Amino acid sequence: MTTISGFSVPTGCCLIPGGAAGEHAVQGNLTPGDTLLSVEHIVDGSPPTRTDRTAEFSIHATKAGVVENTTTDTTGDFLHVLWAMSE
């Protein structure tokens, strides 16, 4: 959990391995009811690049620590997930 002075709620973020469309485990306190702020698809390289994939992801409705990807295979790459925690 991260809190930023002046931001009204605690936030969480995690860099995780990508994978096929479907469920992705996220370390941290991600729970149903939290608000997904962004998901970036990170490709390692010189320099690394990012693509915003937020619209393709959602927080799982019943499982804690899981986001769901509806379309894009990110196998071999990484995902940076940022969320606001419900209190």
Side-chain angles (χ1 to χ4, degrees):
M1 172 178 74
T2 303
T3 54
I4 300 169
S5 179
F7 199 69
S8 62
V9 297
T11 58
C13 68
C14 189
L15 185 65
I16 62 172
E23 296 181 359
H24 299 274
V26 177
Q27 295 176 351
N29 295 326
L30 177 69
T31 61
D34 288 351
T35 302
L36 189 62
L37 298 175
S38 70
V39 177
E40 296 176 317
H41 177 183
I42 310 292
V43 177
D44 194 11
S46 270
T49 58
R50 61 160 291 283
T51 303
D52 185 347
R53 300 267 185 225
T54 308
E56 300 172 24
F57 281 81
S58 61
I59 294 173
H60 197 285
T62 59
K63 294 181 186 177
V66 176
V67 292
E68 295 179 290
N69 172 359
T70 58
T71 56
T72 303
D73 185 348
T74 58
T75 301
D77 299 328
F78 299 89
L79 299 168
H80 181 252
V81 182
L82 174 66
W83 66 95
M85 296 176 181
S86 58
E87 296 187 273

